[in-house]
Amino acid sequence: MTHISVTVDDGHLSALDGVVQGLRARGMQVEQVLDGLGIITGSVPPGTLGALSGVAGVLSVDEQLRHRLAPPDAPVQ
Amino acid sequence: MKDPRRPAVPERETSGLRPRTTGRRVVVFADADSEEPVDWARAGVRDVADSRDFADGDVPPETLRGAGATVFAALGIAVVAADEGQLRELRAGSARPVLSVSPELVHHVLPADIGTYARGYRDGVADLAGRLTSAEWPAPGAARPARFRDTEEATWGVQAVRADASGFSGRGIRVAVLDTGFDLAHADFVARAVTARSFVAGEDAQDGHGHGTHCIGTACGPAVPPAGPRYGVASDAEIFAGKVLGNEGSGTDAGILAGINWAVTSGCPVISMSLGADVVEAHPPYSAAGRRALQRGSLIIAAAGNNADRRTGDDGLVGAPANSVEIMAVGALDQGLEMAYFSARSLPERGGQVDVAAPGWEVLSAWPMPDRYRTISGTSMATPHVAGLAALWAEATGRRGLELWATLCQESERLLQPSLDAGSGLVMAPR
């Protein structure tokens, strides 16, 4: 599965439920609906991310980045 | 006492550079919006032109030249031709309090004087030649003279940003630090209000790494720690510790965005994020999150990144989330107020710029017990200095969001470092 973040456009911030339904209908497994930010996170089967762009209210669909710190004993963190 | 900051700005010959003035005075009145009339006649000032009498408030230049006083109503400012006695009368007798009276200066398109320009150019070339041929120009990575050092009272970073001399402590301001959590049993924080929450599956908010505790220490550590020097900036701020990176030090956008959402909806005016991924392109979710956070009064401050190695000529890049326009990016300074070798430089891409700089070299702060303290370096350490300072300014001014951002930049001390590396310079505490 590919972990993704879906950014919702300004016009759909008060209608996130409808966007979530649209994303689920296109195969997204929704994990979090961040209503304070208008961002929905979750996962899709590999290679199917592009299908979500067509859902009304979707501004962008992005694969999640991984952030990594240096180990605790590193001088520069 | 010699100010250790002064060597950052070369001494200049200022005598003979007395500004030219017109003989008129610029008077600033209290309350720009006040309808209270100014009693010009009492001060003996005639021919008063008021911007409200002209179309669109646009005062023609010939009126400006001839009038005894020209009033810019929207600004609460007047340019007045008056002698000292009349000005005294104006100050004493006006129903509108006078805030200041200053000589009207003559401004020029720069360079004002080609001689000054040419001399400056000559001196610049001579200085460059001198530096290139002298041993004074430090080799990349060579030790440079320190202007600050840790003392028994405070770390060098707390001194450099003048947090120890500030009348503000971040009281009433919620500061969210999104990191590896917090050592909830740390001896320096027993009496503090801490709200902790984990966004990492299978882990509680307790810090199993140390990085998060160190960052919270710098942003919000106590004014007088029971042991050792002061290392924290906003000593009375309310701590919101969001764990978005696991004990092994990594995390994904989902947890970080969840942490931002929590901080924003919890009403935190300051969100500190000492984390990043080395990608050149701004990441749309962070741009949207940064913008919507600002709209709701929360300023996100993020580390520019440690991916440079200036010793080998590698400038690195500002990664995500700091490379979003809507998120403030922080570079790291050493005790000489020069860039730390690892501090990432701005990219030409929109948003990929460093906005400000702060102490990020050999920073002592809290570490999970029983270690209690540790000294480490990174733009991760510079970021919570700025977060703490943002809390002080939020308390001092009541400003939030973009206004708070602008205040941090306005009030930062300019440095002799490229703006590509240090942005507006060293962020300073309100007095």
Side-chain angles (χ1 to χ4, degrees), chain A residues 31-61:
Chain A
E31 283 158 16
Q32 307 182 100
V33 180
L34 305 172
D35 55 350
L37 304 176
I39 293 172
I40 299 159
T41 68
S43 55
V44 289
T48 66
L49 175 153
L52 302 179
S53 305
V55 175
V58 170
L59 187 65
S60 76
V61 181

Side-chain angles (χ1 to χ4, degrees), chain A:
Chain A
M1 297 293 271
T2 305
H3 292 272
I4 58 166
S5 302
V6 177
T7 306
V8 177
D9 67 31
D10 287 350
H12 288 77
L13 290 179
S14 52
L16 289 179
D17 288 350
V19 181
V20 169
Q21 280 174 19
L23 293 169
R24 285 200 171 116
R26 302 225 180 174
M28 177 173 170
Q29 198 177 319
V30 173
E31 283 158 16
Q32 307 182 100
V33 180
L34 305 172
D35 55 350
L37 304 176
I39 293 172
I40 299 159
T41 68
S43 55
V44 289
T48 66
L49 175 153
L52 302 179
S53 305
V55 175
V58 170
L59 187 65
S60 76
V61 181
D62 299 277
E63 230 178 288
Q64 287 185 21
L65 302 176
R66 178 154 275 281
H67 305 259
R68 184 174 292 282
L69 297 176
D73 55 356
V76 175
Q77 298 201 21

Side-chain angles (χ1 to χ4, degrees), chain B residues 346-429:
Chain B
S346 298
L347 284 171
E349 280 79 5
R350 180 168 180 267
Q353 71 269 47
V354 178
D355 295 298
V356 291
W361 177 252
E362 295 178 344
V363 175
L364 179 147
S365 183
W367 199 260
M369 305 296 281
D371 294 65
R372 192 162 185 169
Y373 303 114
R374 186 170 288 193
T375 298
I376 49 178
S377 304
T379 53
S380 284
M381 283 66 244
T383 302
H385 276 101
V386 178
L389 292 162
L392 303 188
W393 282 107
E395 178 197 8
T397 64
R399 292 175 193 154
R400 299 290 185 269
L402 266 180
E403 275 199 326
L404 184 56
W405 180 321
T407 302
L408 293 173
C409 290
Q410 273 181 330
E411 300 283 355
S412 66
E413 186 169 292
R414 272 51 177 171
L415 302 173
L416 271 177
Q417 300 296 306
S419 65
L420 284 169
D421 296 329
S424 300
L426 174 63
V427 180
M428 302 295 288

